[in-house]
Amino acid sequence: MNKPVCLVIGAGAGIGGHVARRFAREGYHACLVRRSDQAGLDQRVAEIEAEGGSASGYLLNAVEEGSIEQLVTHIEAQVGPIAVAVFNLGAQIGDRGLASTTLKQFEMGWRLATLGLFRLAQVLFPHMEQRGQGVLLVTSATAAMRGNAGQHAHAAAMGGRRMLCQSLNAQFAGKGIHVAHIVIDGAVDAPDTLGKMLGPERFQALRQQKGLDHDGLLLPAEVAQTYFHVAHQHRSAWTFELDLRAHSDLAWWNQSSSAALK
Amino acid sequence: MNKPVCLVIGAGAGIGGHVARRFAREGYHACLVRRSDQAGLDQRVAEIEAEGGSASGYLLNAVEEGSIEQLVTHIEAQVGPIAVAVFNLGAQIGDRGLASTTLKQFEMGWRLATLGLFRLAQVLFPHMEQRGQGVLLVTSATAAMRGNAGQHAHAAAMGGRRMLCQSLNAQFAGKGIHVAHIVIDGAVDAPDTLGKMLGPERFQALRQQKGLDHDGLLLPAEVAQTYFHVAHQHRSAWTFELDLRAHSDLAWWNQSSSAALK
Amino acid sequence: MNKPVCLVIGAGAGIGGHVARRFAREGYHACLVRRSDQAGLDQRVAEIEAEGGSASGYLLNAVEEGSIEQLVTHIEAQVGPIAVAVFNLGAQIGDRGLASTTLKQFEMGWRLATLGLFRLAQVLFPHMEQRGQGVLLVTSATAAMRGNAGQHAHAAAMGGRRMLCQSLNAQFAGKGIHVAHIVIDGAVDAPDTLGKMLGPERFQALRQQKGLDHDGLLLPAEVAQTYFHVAHQHRSAWTFELDLRAHSDLAWWNQSSSAALK
Amino acid sequence: MNKPVCLVIGAGAGIGGHVARRFAREGYHACLVRRSDQAGLDQRVAEIEAEGGSASGYLLNAVEEGSIEQLVTHIEAQVGPIAVAVFNLGAQIGDRGLASTTLKQFEMGWRLATLGLFRLAQVLFPHMEQRGQGVLLVTSATAAMRGNAGQHAHAAAMGGRRMLCQSLNAQFAGKGIHVAHIVIDGAVDAPDTLGKMLGPERFQALRQQKGLDHDGLLLPAEVAQTYFHVAHQHRSAWTFELDLRAHSDLAWWNQSSSAALK
């Protein structure tokens, strides 16, 4: 294949899916990866193809030993060189306080968000280093910079990953690999993200009751614009870290959300 | 005028001039402001016009009482609504330690970098608030986050300005005004910036001696790409803060530079 | 005088006064400085002397040219070597949004909090450097790290001062001068601090209404314990920055306080 | 036992051992825990007893399932209520770049530093919460705030733990549990810490060659003073985070150390 590859690990209907689509529109072959939901995955690929783009979908349990490693090796060998990788796996396991967070949940958050990124870098960076270029974009959250009450698994996984991004950047920037840590500071307007938190019905009800539309949520198609920009910055002016947030804080949402903790 | 206005305060041959040019290429009327050097200013304007763009130049002593205020009022009334303002005044007064920094230098750094931004916001934001939109991009430096030995005036001015950007963002984001704090983390490949620090001859000599070309410096034309992108982010996905740095650290430059302090 | 001197600039009934008292108890001669209120100043000095301590009081307009410089020179010459200086001047001018903050207020915040510290360091550090030791403790606030809506003067002054503390530390730690930036993260249980914000009556009313006693406020006598500890850390284990906050967040106070902005 | 218990997990000849000793001197029963070296452990206990203090030693593999949990349960039941816990396990596995860090090392760093703290909090905090008081001091490192080249395992583990400390503090401060994150910013003058990095011979050689004595290293007995102070802050003035560093940066050490990476 002549197209450069954009690999998106964690490509659902939110940020990941929109980023894949954005890159596909610009001539990348998008490799979309998610844990389950073959139908949803096919739909994402079909949407891209309907726009004239090129994409392929992969179901993958990213915490499984060797899974990310095999996928990257396969894509590099069979599909094409991965120019851009987007790591979009979260660790928001809906934790609610210390007593209710199990060791398994705490470990799973780390396996997904932190170890997963380390494993991706280990298998991908030698390829990129050999080519003297490559991009790794990591979707992060406010929890990477501020641990909130009750969100122990999320905070620990995100905080560890942020420092990992820094140490990767410190080792590999000079070798042409651009690592960017993108802090999503707010709720994304995506069915599955919100569904995990409040349930879609409750969220819709809240939105209607407050008389707001989408304003105050991060729109994933707009988020994807900045992912694309950062991936194409000239190497004389790279961004390592930036935040993305809605102009309006959606304060009522944040309050509802944290109120649920008490 | 039908064109939206991009006002650049601090528009020399470095970041400011390139940002003005970048916006002018996309249909903005660029208002370039600098303290002195009418010839240099005319040259910037001529370059923009040679590319088919539209621009005007203003000499302005930004620390003079009322200067920024009158300029903004004039542009809003006579030229057009300021859609984007870029505040590109630095405070690097070449300070070298506590004993050698005069009160006047310390105050000048603050008047230029911190108070100047406050004054700009006071006169500009009511216009933007009324229109429900507007962008303010602030060129900052690493010193805003880490005060280095000897750079007291610079650190104090930059650190104060960063917090001011946060407080402005906190008050005005919900009203449609996008404030972004852009941390330039390294040396820019611009004659006047480097000239101020080392003298151009010494810098060229250092570069040749080290066998490096421009690699490791921030290229202002590339920096301008990100300014343009940030200014056009959708209000559902705004960046408040980001860094820009060269992929290669130009470690030798940083060492030469700090060695000069000892 | 054989006693080491502890100079406290900003010594009222809150943190400053209690810090002076704490040091006086341990054998320091405390020099208490405040802008006005001779009676209050005399009372602080009398309290210290009643405990067997030694102190003197000075009325000083710290923003006046030469004022801090003359005081330090006088104390060094007539009272004794200043072993510890505590800079306890705030910049909370009760600012309420961009439109209502005057240039004069904005400047005054900086003159008091930022320039004042720079001037103190300029006159004091040569003495301390010659002795190869000395301590400078700076009372700061959360605003030094996070600019809140409306508090533009406060945020800019505090943020600039934090970076100044860093640059001073970077230049002078190796010469035996210990600079510490102490972030007071919350409301202090001091009549004048609270009086400035809400008025004492309104604050008392709020406290009673909420059924809280002092819990949730920072008690200045307890704050002073940590000031004393930090000033006496061995030079192999110095703290540059630490926060102090009440165990209970006094969330109702913070909400009342920010609600006043809207 | 009538004495309050101070539990130190990670009590060797460095910070941990000195902290245990410091608390024992003030009337605590110190429970010293380390992975191996019964003789070294006995020596720490004997030193404390020789000073008239009271202590007991435990060998424990902290990453083993249930190990911390059983120890805490045992001490609470048989020795006495744990008033202060000090978590002093590091994650510096001597990692040297991405390719040379094994998955096992990366996981071990997390199990030790991050998961270990989570497990300690889970078993200990219910006891402390019931008593309405308790202290948890966590020894951290600069890597928790800045990920350096090559130190991926260390950075990820420390960064995750810092956010975990924040989320624990956010949930439990109001319940009387004081969590403090203590950033040790430099090399500690302890045989085993330095031995792990450079080997004691090479380090001694370097020190002699540079003509320095201990200056520039953190002395663990002095570090322990601040641990003791923080543990006894009144709940109206708690520190969540502070750094400790030597007044002199020991720049030559840091350069030697990072030079080893290249």
Side-chain angles (χ1 to χ4, degrees):
Chain A
M1 183 178 297
N2 286 331
K3 290 187 165 192
V5 171
C6 173
L7 166 66
V8 182
I9 300 183
I15 290 175
H18 282 85
V19 167
R21 204 164 163 178
R22 181 73 180 78
F23 277 77
R25 270 186 208 142
E26 304 283 342
Y28 284 80
H29 176 81
C31 292
L32 293 86
V33 182
R34 61 183 303 176
R35 188 160 25 170
S36 56
D37 185 8
Q38 182 74 52
L41 186 58
D42 292 345
Q43 192 186 335
R44 298 283 89 72
V45 170
E47 284 166 3
I48 289 173
E49 291 173 341
E51 295 183 339
S54 147
S56 41
Y58 305 86
L59 288 188
L60 185 91
N61 182 0
V63 299
E64 200 177 288
E65 205 183 319
S67 59
I68 292 175
E69 293 80 353
Q70 285 164 23
L71 177 71
V72 167
T73 304
H74 165 77
I75 292 175
E76 284 277 340
Q78 307 293 329
V79 184
I82 298 171
V84 179
V86 180
F87 191 81
N88 194 45
L89 298 179
Q92 199 142 19
I93 51 107
D95 43 351
R96 287 285 177 269
L98 185 62
S100 328
T101 306
T102 64
L103 284 186
K104 201 176 154 185
Q105 285 174 314
F106 192 82
E107 178 164 346
M108 191 51 68
W110 171 78
R111 286 205 176 276
L112 214 53
T114 316
L115 183 64
L117 181 69
F118 178 76
R119 287 168 49 213
L120 175 62
Q122 272 204 327
V123 63
L124 180 60
F125 279 16
H127 294 282
M128 290 182 165
E129 194 178 344
Q130 204 172 10
R131 295 190 284 264
Q133 59 185 355
V135 179
L136 172 60
L137 307 180
V138 179
T139 303
S140 184
T142 323
M145 285 127 133
R146 200 169 53 238
N148 290 320
Q151 297 201 297
H152 308 297
H154 191 220
M158 288 289 159
R161 195 167 69 180
R162 184 181 180 224
M163 288 304 107
L164 176 59
C165 286
Q166 289 190 7
S167 61
L168 289 172
N169 176 59
Q171 188 179 349
F172 291 99
K175 293 167 180 167
I177 302 178
H178 181 186
V179 178
H181 183 252
I182 304 178
V183 180
I184 304 297
D185 190 7
V188 178
D189 191 23
D192 46 1
T193 305
L194 298 170
K196 270 185 216 160
M197 295 187 194
L198 277 193
E201 295 78 15
R202 189 172 154 212
F203 184 72
Q204 289 304 335
L206 261 171
R207 283 222 294 215
Q208 284 170 16
Q209 172 193 331
K210 301 287 176 178
L212 289 171
D213 193 15
H214 292 250
D215 218 30
L217 296 176
L218 285 138
L219 302 181
E222 301 297 341
V223 168
Q225 304 279 14
T226 291
Y227 277 63
F228 189 80
H229 174 75
V230 170
H232 294 88
Q233 288 176 318
H234 185 266
R235 69 179 195 164
S236 81
W238 278 354
T239 294
F240 170 70
E241 190 164 77
L242 78 166
D243 61 307
L244 287 171
R245 61 186 75 185
H247 81 293
S248 143
D249 245 6
L250 198 55
W252 62 270
W253 153 263
N254 291 321
Q255 281 165 11
S256 310
S257 168
S258 51
L261 263 181
K262 287 170 191 169
Chain B
M1 181 178 300
N2 286 329
K3 289 187 166 191
V5 170
C6 173
L7 166 65
V8 181
I9 300 183
I15 290 175
H18 281 85
V19 167
R21 203 164 164 178
R22 181 72 182 77
F23 278 78
R25 271 186 208 142
E26 305 282 341
Y28 284 80
H29 177 81
C31 291
L32 292 86
V33 182
R34 61 183 302 174
R35 187 160 25 170
S36 57
D37 185 6
Q38 183 74 52
L41 186 59
D42 292 345
Q43 190 185 336
R44 296 284 90 73
V45 171
E47 283 165 2
I48 289 173
E49 291 173 341
E51 295 183 338
S54 147
S56 42
Y58 304 86
L59 288 188
L60 184 92
N61 182 0
V63 299
E64 201 176 286
E65 205 182 318
S67 59
I68 293 175
E69 293 80 353
Q70 286 164 25
L71 177 71
V72 166
T73 304
H74 166 77
I75 292 174
E76 283 277 339
Q78 307 293 329
V79 184
I82 298 171
V84 179
V86 179
F87 190 82
N88 193 45
L89 299 179
Q92 198 142 19
I93 49 107
D95 42 349
R96 288 285 176 268
L98 185 62
S100 329
T101 306
T102 65
L103 284 185
K104 201 177 155 187
Q105 285 174 314
F106 192 82
E107 178 164 347
M108 191 51 67
W110 171 78
R111 286 206 176 275
L112 212 54
T114 317
L115 182 65
L117 180 70
F118 179 76
R119 288 167 50 213
L120 174 61
Q122 273 203 327
V123 64
L124 179 59
F125 279 16
H127 295 282
M128 289 181 166
E129 194 178 345
Q130 204 171 9
R131 295 191 283 265
Q133 58 184 356
V135 179
L136 172 60
L137 306 180
V138 179
T139 303
S140 185
T142 322
M145 285 126 134
R146 200 171 52 238
N148 290 320
Q151 297 201 297
H152 308 298
H154 191 221
M158 288 288 158
R161 195 168 69 181
R162 183 180 180 223
M163 288 305 107
L164 176 59
C165 287
Q166 290 190 7
S167 63
L168 289 172
N169 175 59
Q171 188 180 348
F172 292 99
K175 292 163 180 170
I177 302 178
H178 181 186
V179 178
H181 183 254
I182 304 179
V183 180
I184 304 296
D185 190 7
V188 177
D189 190 24
D192 45 1
T193 306
L194 297 171
K196 270 185 217 160
M197 294 188 194
L198 278 193
E201 295 77 14
R202 188 172 154 212
F203 183 72
Q204 290 304 334
L206 261 171
R207 284 223 292 215
Q208 285 170 15
Q209 171 192 334
K210 300 286 176 180
L212 289 171
D213 193 14
H214 291 250
D215 216 29
L217 296 176
L218 285 137
L219 302 180
E222 300 297 341
V223 168
Q225 303 280 13
T226 292
Y227 277 63
F228 189 80
H229 173 75
V230 170
H232 293 88
Q233 288 176 318
H234 185 266
R235 70 180 194 163
S236 81
W238 279 355
T239 294
F240 170 71
E241 190 164 77
L242 79 166
D243 60 307
L244 287 171
R245 62 186 73 185
H247 82 291
S248 142
D249 246 4
L250 198 56
W252 63 269
W253 154 262
N254 291 321
Q255 280 166 10
S256 310
S257 169
S258 51
L261 263 179
K262 289 172 189 171
Chain C
M1 181 179 299
N2 286 328
K3 289 188 166 191
V5 171
C6 173
L7 166 65
V8 181
I9 300 183
I15 290 175
H18 281 85
V19 167
R21 203 165 164 178
R22 181 73 181 78
F23 277 77
R25 270 185 208 142
E26 305 282 341
Y28 285 80
H29 177 81
C31 292
L32 293 85
V33 183
R34 61 182 303 175
R35 186 159 28 168
S36 57
D37 185 8
Q38 182 74 52
L41 186 59
D42 293 345
Q43 191 185 335
R44 297 284 90 72
V45 170
E47 283 165 4
I48 289 173
E49 291 174 341
E51 295 183 339
S54 147
S56 42
Y58 305 86
L59 287 187
L60 184 92
N61 182 0
V63 299
E64 201 177 286
E65 206 182 316
S67 60
I68 293 175
E69 292 80 353
Q70 286 163 25
L71 177 71
V72 166
T73 304
H74 166 78
I75 293 175
E76 284 277 339
Q78 306 293 329
V79 184
I82 299 171
V84 179
V86 179
F87 191 81
N88 193 45
L89 298 180
Q92 198 142 22
I93 50 106
D95 42 350
R96 289 286 177 267
L98 185 63
S100 329
T101 307
T102 65
L103 285 185
K104 201 176 154 187
Q105 285 174 313
F106 192 82
E107 177 163 347
M108 192 50 69
W110 171 78
R111 286 206 176 277
L112 213 53
T114 316
L115 183 64
L117 181 69
F118 178 76
R119 288 168 50 214
L120 174 62
Q122 272 204 327
V123 64
L124 179 59
F125 279 17
H127 294 282
M128 289 181 165
E129 194 178 345
Q130 204 171 10
R131 294 190 284 264
Q133 59 184 355
V135 178
L136 173 60
L137 307 180
V138 180
T139 303
S140 185
T142 322
M145 283 125 133
R146 201 171 52 239
N148 290 320
Q151 297 202 297
H152 307 298
H154 191 220
M158 288 288 158
R161 194 168 71 181
R162 183 180 180 223
M163 287 305 107
L164 176 58
C165 286
Q166 289 190 7
S167 62
L168 289 172
N169 176 59
Q171 188 179 348
F172 291 99
K175 292 165 180 168
I177 302 178
H178 181 185
V179 178
H181 183 254
I182 304 178
V183 181
I184 303 297
D185 190 6
V188 178
D189 190 23
D192 45 1
T193 305
L194 297 171
K196 271 185 216 159
M197 295 187 194
L198 278 193
E201 295 78 15
R202 189 173 154 213
F203 183 71
Q204 290 303 334
L206 261 171
R207 284 223 291 215
Q208 285 170 15
Q209 172 193 332
K210 300 287 176 179
L212 289 171
D213 194 16
H214 292 251
D215 217 30
L217 297 175
L218 285 137
L219 302 181
E222 301 297 341
V223 168
Q225 303 280 14
T226 292
Y227 277 62
F228 189 81
H229 173 74
V230 170
H232 294 87
Q233 287 177 319
H234 185 266
R235 70 178 195 166
S236 80
W238 278 355
T239 293
F240 170 70
E241 189 164 77
L242 78 167
D243 61 308
L244 288 171
R245 61 186 74 187
H247 82 292
S248 142
D249 245 5
L250 198 55
W252 63 268
W253 153 261
N254 291 321
Q255 280 166 10
S256 311
S257 168
S258 50
L261 263 180
K262 289 170 190 171
Chain D
M1 182 180 298
N2 286 330
K3 290 187 167 191
V5 171
C6 173
L7 167 65
V8 181
I9 301 183
I15 290 175
H18 282 85
V19 168
R21 203 164 164 177
R22 181 73 181 78
F23 278 76
R25 271 184 207 144
E26 304 284 340
Y28 285 81
H29 177 79
C31 292
L32 293 86
V33 182
R34 61 183 303 176
R35 188 162 23 171
S36 57
D37 185 8
Q38 182 74 52
L41 186 59
D42 292 345
Q43 190 185 337
R44 299 282 89 73
V45 171
E47 284 165 4
I48 290 173
E49 291 174 341
E51 295 183 340
S54 146
S56 41
Y58 304 85
L59 288 188
L60 184 92
N61 181 359
V63 298
E64 200 177 288
E65 205 183 318
S67 60
I68 293 175
E69 293 81 353
Q70 286 164 24
L71 177 71
V72 167
T73 304
H74 166 77
I75 293 174
E76 284 278 339
Q78 307 293 330
V79 184
I82 298 170
V84 179
V86 180
F87 191 81
N88 194 45
L89 298 180
Q92 198 143 21
I93 50 105
D95 42 349
R96 287 285 176 268
L98 186 62
S100 328
T101 307
T102 64
L103 286 186
K104 201 177 154 186
Q105 285 174 314
F106 192 82
E107 177 164 347
M108 191 52 66
W110 171 78
R111 286 205 176 276
L112 213 53
T114 317
L115 182 64
L117 181 69
F118 179 77
R119 289 167 49 212
L120 174 62
Q122 273 205 327
V123 62
L124 179 60
F125 279 17
H127 294 283
M128 289 182 165
E129 194 178 345
Q130 204 171 10
R131 294 190 284 264
Q133 59 184 355
V135 179
L136 173 61
L137 307 180
V138 179
T139 303
S140 185
T142 322
M145 287 127 132
R146 200 168 55 239
N148 290 319
Q151 297 201 297
H152 308 297
H154 191 220
M158 288 288 158
R161 195 167 70 180
R162 184 179 180 225
M163 288 304 108
L164 176 59
C165 286
Q166 289 190 7
S167 62
L168 289 172
N169 176 59
Q171 187 179 350
F172 291 98
K175 293 168 179 166
I177 302 178
H178 181 186
V179 178
H181 183 252
I182 303 178
V183 180
I184 304 297
D185 191 6
V188 178
D189 191 24
D192 44 1
T193 305
L194 298 171
K196 270 186 216 158
M197 294 189 195
L198 277 193
E201 294 78 14
R202 189 172 155 213
F203 184 72
Q204 289 305 334
L206 262 171
R207 285 223 291 214
Q208 285 171 14
Q209 172 192 334
K210 301 288 176 177
L212 289 171
D213 192 16
H214 292 252
D215 218 30
L217 296 176
L218 286 138
L219 303 181
E222 301 297 341
V223 168
Q225 304 279 13
T226 292
Y227 276 63
F228 189 80
H229 173 75
V230 170
H232 294 88
Q233 288 176 319
H234 186 265
R235 69 179 195 164
S236 81
W238 278 355
T239 294
F240 170 70
E241 190 165 77
L242 79 166
D243 61 306
L244 287 171
R245 61 186 75 184
H247 81 292
S248 143
D249 245 4
L250 198 55
W252 61 270
W253 153 262
N254 291 321
Q255 281 166 10
S256 311
S257 168
S258 51
L261 262 180
K262 287 170 191 170

